[in-house]
Amino acid sequence: MNSKTPCTEIDLERGLRESGIREELVQACKVLYAVKAAGDGLGGHLSFRLDEKRILIKPRPVSWRGLKPEDLIVIDGNGKRVDGAAGERSAVREWPIHAQIYAARPDVQCVLHAHPSASTLMAALGIAVEPLDQDCAAFAGRLPMLDNGAVSIATPELGDEVARVLGKGGAVLLKNHGSIVAGADVAYVCVTAYRLEKVAETMLRAATLTKLPVMSPETSAAILQAREAVEPGAGSKMNQERWQMMRDYYL
Ligand SMILES: [Zn+2]
């Protein structure tokens, strides 16, 4: 009898944790859609690593705005649904983006893949981010791009390629396709995805007003050097604050 008690408590704790994660992912989907970081809302997915074997993910047929906690599905590292009817794998066609990043990056708990219009166009035009403002400075020189002929990332091999190009970073662009943001928590992913789309809008606007690059290599280098000096103070706490503000504005 006693041996069952801890198990029940662990199950309860696990259930509470999972329902909290489901709730936060639903909030994230609504906010990401509202700030256009989820593109037109017709493609893409947001996921969270529940444990070594299970990934909680938004399936494609459910809208980013109308999603409910129970609409999220659980898949394993092979893209197979493990919490319900089999045969619904096609609902998350590009599952290898998530599975292969989680496999390669133990520090990553949350992954977003979407087709936001400004980021996608910036990548298609091959525009490199310049440190025109503080948001741009956060991405300049840290935004790799994968050019794989715009194929869907529907195999583990293609997912591995994404993880390789992402490296230790937090975002990667897919040329003629979209973007991926990966990080330690939902706050990081939402804040980074929001800033990335804003940065892309800034760069595209700059491209309509002047010839790129706007800045001299010396000016860029000086700003990026200053960035390295101040950044250790930022990080997780700031993302949590910003994520709370985003929920405040958009939920
Ligand atoms: Zn896609």
Side-chain angles (χ1 to χ4, degrees):
M1 287 291 279
N2 279 349
S3 65
K4 277 202 157 183
T5 310
C7 181
T8 308
E9 280 173 10
I10 288 166
D11 286 349
L12 188 65
E13 212 171 284
R14 197 166 119 164
L16 282 173
R17 176 179 172 268
E18 185 174 322
S19 68
I21 293 166
R22 281 177 182 266
E23 193 57 53
E24 193 175 19
L25 278 197
V26 166
Q27 292 179 346
C29 286
K30 291 176 195 290
V31 172
L32 288 167
Y33 177 71
V35 300
K36 300 190 173 10
D40 61 9
L42 299 180
H45 9 83
L46 178 70
S47 76
F48 194 93
R49 187 208 305 259
L50 290 175
D51 54 42
E52 318 82 67
K53 292 185 177 154
R54 300 183 308 142
I55 299 167
L56 187 64
I57 190 163
K58 175 204 167 297
R60 182 175 46 76
V62 189
S63 92
W64 292 75
R65 201 173 68 174
L67 182 78
K68 296 182 190 68
E70 61 270 25
D71 292 327
L72 294 163
I73 64 169
V74 182
I75 59 172
D76 65 14
N78 297 310
K80 184 168 171 287
R81 186 170 181 186
V82 293
D83 68 331
E88 292 185 22
R89 277 174 65 158
S90 60
V92 190
R93 184 170 151 76
E94 294 188 297
W95 61 267
I97 290 175
H98 303 262
Q100 304 314 108
I101 289 175
Y102 289 131
R105 290 275 301 272
D107 60 309
V108 166
Q109 303 299 331
C110 185
V111 174
L112 166 70
H113 166 55
H115 306 155
S117 61
S119 304
T120 307
L121 181 57
M122 180 173 72
L125 297 176
I127 294 174
V129 177
E130 295 180 56
L132 299 182
D133 59 27
Q134 289 183 326
D135 287 318
C136 291
F139 288 91
R142 292 175 174 167
L143 191 57
M145 184 175 70
L146 172 62
D147 183 0
N148 65 1
V151 295
S152 283
I153 318 291
T155 68
E157 292 73 25
L158 289 166
D160 285 338
E161 198 179 21
V162 167
R164 242 191 335 272
V165 175
L166 175 68
K168 291 179 178 172
V172 60
L173 296 175
L174 305 175
K175 194 171 174 78
N176 307 114
H177 179 170
S179 65
I180 294 163
V181 178
D185 49 36
V186 174
Y188 175 89
V189 168
C190 288
V191 172
T192 303
Y194 173 50
R195 295 176 87 199
L196 174 58
E197 187 64 356
K198 184 187 157 209
V199 162
E201 282 168 4
T202 300
M203 291 309 304
L204 291 176
R205 201 173 314 132
T208 66
L209 296 170
T210 186
K211 196 172 177 308
L212 301 183
V214 178
M215 297 171 129
S216 70
E218 295 76 23
T219 309
S220 277
I223 292 174
L224 297 186
Q225 206 175 346
R227 169 184 80 183
E228 303 303 328
V230 297
E231 269 199 348
S236 171
K237 186 167 176 282
M238 189 181 277
N239 282 330
Q240 291 295 341
E241 287 169 2
R242 286 171 164 170
W243 172 220
Q244 187 52 53
M245 289 163 80
M246 287 169 72
R247 282 183 283 190
D248 233 42
Y249 294 138
Y250 296 106
L251 287 181

